[in-house]
Amino acid sequence: MALKKLNTVLAAAFILFILWFGTKYILSPETTAPGFGLPSWPSGDGGGFLVVKGVRDVVLALVLGILLVTGHRRALGWVLLVEAFAAYGDMANVLAHHGSVATALGVHCLTATLMVLNGLLIMLETRNAAAAPGATRSAVRLARTRP
């Protein structure tokens, strides 16, 4: 039971963090963007591209939130694993464009790695529940074939 509580707290923290960060990009992209780690930002009317990042983050958080609230814990674990690629992608983007290595590793890589850890812990927590339906179906099939 302690693992489930830990996983729930971690997943809720990720949801709130991603939602908060995405909302900041939507509401004030110019002040939020320098913390991303890239050395320069789009000039002129480039703020629209920053809002796109904010919308992406809000959607990622909402998907996780729906899975958490509806109790689809195994799916939540899988989605955390997949969504970590967005944060790893942000890290790669910062590094590829000669941005801040500290931000790339300390923010994006750390976030992604913690998401992977949380996803794997949820998969561990739900492994017996995932095995049970298959075992039940096998038992039902076996019972049907016996006279």
Side-chain angles (χ1 to χ4, degrees), residues 26-143:
I26 292 169
L27 298 178
S28 60
E30 304 82 18
T31 58
T32 308
F36 188 77
L38 290 173
S40 61
W41 292 97
S43 59
D45 192 22
F49 289 104
L50 301 175
V51 173
V52 169
K53 187 228 182 300
V55 170
R56 178 199 75 173
D57 287 353
V58 168
V59 170
L60 292 175
L62 291 176
V63 169
L64 292 172
I66 288 168
L67 292 172
L68 182 64
V69 169
T70 59
H72 291 90
R73 296 190 67 82
R74 189 132 183 106
L76 175 63
W78 279 112
V79 172
L80 274 163
L81 292 173
V82 170
E83 287 189 7
F85 283 109
Y88 282 128
D90 290 345
M91 174 198 70
N93 184 23
V94 170
L95 292 174
H97 290 91
H98 310 290
S100 167
V101 174
T103 302
L105 299 178
V107 175
H108 303 296
C109 185
L110 180 62
T111 298
T113 303
L114 290 174
M115 288 177 77
V116 167
L117 178 64
N118 191 202
L120 290 174
L121 285 172
I122 291 173
M123 299 301 280
L124 178 68
E125 165 204 326
T126 60
R127 76 179 185 273
N128 291 336
T136 304
R137 284 192 294 266
S138 297
V140 169
R141 266 187 261 130
L142 181 62

